[in-house]
Amino acid sequence: MNPLKFAFKAIRALLIPKYRFFALASRGFYDSMSDEEYLKRAYKYRMGRDLDLENPRTLTEKLNWLKVYDHNPEYTIMADKYAVKKFVADKIGAEHVIPLLGVYDSFDEIDFDALPEQFVLKCTHDSGGFAICRDKSRFDIKRARKILSRSLKRTYGVSNREWSYKNVPHKIIAEKYMQDGDNPNLPVYKIFTFNGVPKLIQAIQDDKTPYETIDYFDTNWQRLKLRQNFPNSKIPYEKPKCFDEMLEIAAKLSAGIPHVRVDLYQIDGKVYFSEFTFYSDAGFVGFEPPEWDEILGSWLQLPKK
């Protein structure tokens, strides 16, 4: 990191309460604080308003309520990028699961000679711990080792108290590299389900690149005037050919669950499962226009504590 940027962040963390709170949290300073108290403080800093856990109305409030009170053990399996493959295959069929090439407890266990020319490595317990190999002869193993080994050491979700990740075993998996036509960046269709009913689709282009865009659609594929932390696309977004099947799959996978986002791909005319997300944006990112937070919140009927 640039020394000036490091110094600026250090000064900011010391002088501004918001940044000081999260800087200390990242170092475990608040680990003993109850989830309820911690999330109230974090929500206040992130959203600029109080978190009402007694009478939550907005989606962001209800997502944080679910972190505190909805601890279904099955969520741990669903959040585990390795264990979830069998879970999904049992629900909708193995043909919708991206093929597994290997599973490892450490980076040193990976036998690269046994892997194909293209593959994806990812940690099972977090978000962001991955490395993509499109050409084995040019694959930067040193960089991949750094990313994945660092990811293995951290417990994802602690800073946002995302319960579903808490008990997921820390492993690395190798998956088949998937590509649809000539596009190296697969569009992702993230379907928000509420009590088992798909209601909102988040369509992402150029995922995890500087050019990422996100558009929102209803279940009739009508584009909504809604955005969060990424810009909408400037070009028309075609309805995926497998859209109806995606909605059916999302409904099957989310049955009996108060809220979960079912992330899917369309590849060569087939639907593939990506992952489950229980707390989209950790419940700490607002909506534009802001009334959507309450609209989406009205769709979610919370279970009993």
Side-chain angles (χ1 to χ4, degrees):
M1 180 184 292
N2 183 295
L4 289 176
K5 287 185 177 180
F6 180 82
F8 172 75
K9 286 189 174 182
I11 293 171
R12 184 178 65 179
L14 287 172
L15 299 180
I16 302 176
K18 171 182 177 178
Y19 296 105
R20 184 167 63 247
F21 175 81
F22 290 110
L24 292 173
S26 68
R27 290 164 174 77
F29 192 80
Y30 301 115
D31 284 358
S32 62
M33 183 180 289
S34 71
D35 288 345
E36 184 173 346
E37 178 59 28
Y38 180 90
L39 290 171
K40 283 182 177 181
R41 293 183 64 176
Y43 190 89
K44 178 74 171 181
Y45 283 132
R46 294 272 181 85
M47 303 295 290
R49 61 180 186 268
D50 292 332
L51 171 62
D52 185 353
L53 291 176
E54 294 304 315
N55 184 34
R57 293 182 299 107
T58 67
L59 179 62
T60 53
E61 285 181 321
K62 289 185 177 183
L63 291 180
N64 282 284
W65 187 99
L66 290 170
K67 293 179 192 177
V68 178
Y69 299 115
D70 187 25
H71 293 179
N72 183 338
E74 192 171 59
Y75 298 168
T76 298
I77 296 171
M78 295 171 70
D80 183 335
K81 292 180 176 62
Y82 172 55
V84 76
K85 289 181 178 294
K86 182 179 185 305
F87 177 90
V88 171
D90 289 345
K91 294 272 187 181
I92 60 172
E95 66 272 19
H96 297 291
V97 176
I98 294 175
L100 179 73
L101 302 175
V103 56
Y104 321 95
D105 290 318
S106 71
F107 192 87
D108 290 334
E109 290 184 11
I110 302 172
D111 181 359
F112 285 96
D113 290 336
L115 292 175
E117 289 302 306
Q118 295 180 311
F119 55 86
V120 176
L121 299 175
K122 61 177 66 172
C123 284
T124 57
H125 66 289
D126 78 338
S127 176
F130 68 93
I132 300 173
C133 175
R134 296 185 174 93
D135 180 349
K136 192 189 284 189
S137 67
R138 303 175 63 183
F139 184 57
D140 190 340
I141 292 180
K142 184 177 179 180
R143 181 174 181 273
R145 178 191 297 275
K146 182 178 180 181
I147 292 171
L148 293 162
S149 296
R150 181 173 55 195
S151 179
L152 282 175
K153 293 177 182 178
R154 71 170 182 160
T155 300
Y156 183 73
V158 171
S159 62
N160 293 318
R161 300 293 173 99
E162 295 175 272
W163 181 85
S164 63
Y165 299 102
K166 183 178 180 180
N167 299 312
V168 176
H170 294 202
K171 295 180 181 292
I172 298 171
I173 57 172
E175 288 183 336
K176 180 180 178 180
Y177 175 81
M178 307 293 284
Q179 183 170 325
D180 188 34
D182 296 328
N183 187 358
N185 295 309
L186 289 171
V188 189
Y189 302 93
K190 303 186 175 185
I191 302 175
F192 288 66
T193 67
F194 298 83
N195 306 99
V197 180
K199 300 278 284 185
L200 178 74
I201 296 86
Q202 189 184 67
I204 302 179
Q205 298 185 83
D206 297 312
D207 190 28
K208 296 179 176 63
T209 75
Y211 311 104
E212 182 172 345
T213 62
I214 298 181
D215 293 276
Y216 294 84
F217 297 84
D218 63 18
T219 52
N220 293 313
W221 199 251
Q222 296 298 308
R223 186 172 175 175
L224 304 172
K225 293 182 178 180
L226 169 62
R227 68 179 299 272
Q228 284 184 280
N229 47 350
F230 286 89
N232 297 139
S233 64
K234 295 181 180 180
I235 59 175
Y237 209 118
E238 291 185 8
K239 178 180 176 180
K241 294 179 181 179
C242 300
F243 183 62
D244 291 340
E245 185 182 5
M246 287 181 176
L247 295 181
E248 291 175 6
I249 285 173
K252 288 179 182 178
L253 292 176
S254 63
I257 300 174
H259 172 71
V260 67
R261 200 185 72 205
V262 183
D263 299 354
L264 303 171
Y265 298 117
Q266 177 181 273
I267 304 172
D268 294 331
K270 298 180 181 179
V271 179
Y272 286 89
F273 172 80
S274 172
E275 64 182 359
F276 289 112
T277 300
F278 288 93
Y279 324 105
S280 187
D281 291 307
F284 288 139
V285 176
F287 297 85
E288 297 178 17
E291 55 264 28
W292 271 101
D293 200 2
E294 193 161 340
I295 293 171
L296 299 180
S298 70
W299 296 349
L300 173 52
Q301 303 302 310
L302 294 173
K304 293 181 180 180
K305 290 185 182 179

